[in-house]
Amino acid sequence: MPGLGGRDLANRMLVLHPKVKVLYMSGYTNDLIDQQRTLEPGTELLEKPFTLHALLSKVGKVLHGAEDGNAAAARSGE
């Protein structure tokens, strides 16, 4: 995103909608991001490239707090 990073966008959204859920995606590895401390501890990150299963699982975890987002979505009837 030219001129605006993901964290800045998320911070702006959280001001407007404090309950919004945030999932970051990056082509950088999680280890590199940890070393640079670019995300707060506990922030969810999906590394590119990813599979459909990984995406669904991570989105489910963010939305429902579940380890397996597919199971959480199935239980909620989504």
Side-chain angles (χ1 to χ4, degrees), residues 46 50-60 67-71:
L46 182 60
F50 51 84
T51 64
L52 179 58
H53 175 74
L55 174 63
L56 292 173
S57 181
K58 192 65 82 163
V59 168
E67 282 300 314
D68 183 356
N70 292 330

Side-chain angles (χ1 to χ4, degrees), residues 18-70:
K19 294 183 180 182
V20 73
K21 305 290 184 172
V22 177
L23 170 61
Y24 292 94
M25 290 184 221
S26 177
Y28 295 105
T29 66
N30 204 357
D31 292 339
L32 180 61
I33 289 172
D34 286 344
Q35 288 173 358
Q36 295 179 353
R37 292 181 180 28
T38 55
L39 296 177
E40 298 295 321
T43 301
E44 293 298 330
L45 173 69
L46 182 60
E47 294 179 45
K48 298 176 189 175
F50 51 84
T51 64
L52 179 58
H53 175 74
L55 174 63
L56 292 173
S57 181
K58 192 65 82 163
V59 168
K61 183 177 181 184
V62 170
L63 293 177
H64 305 289
E67 282 300 314
D68 183 356
N70 292 330

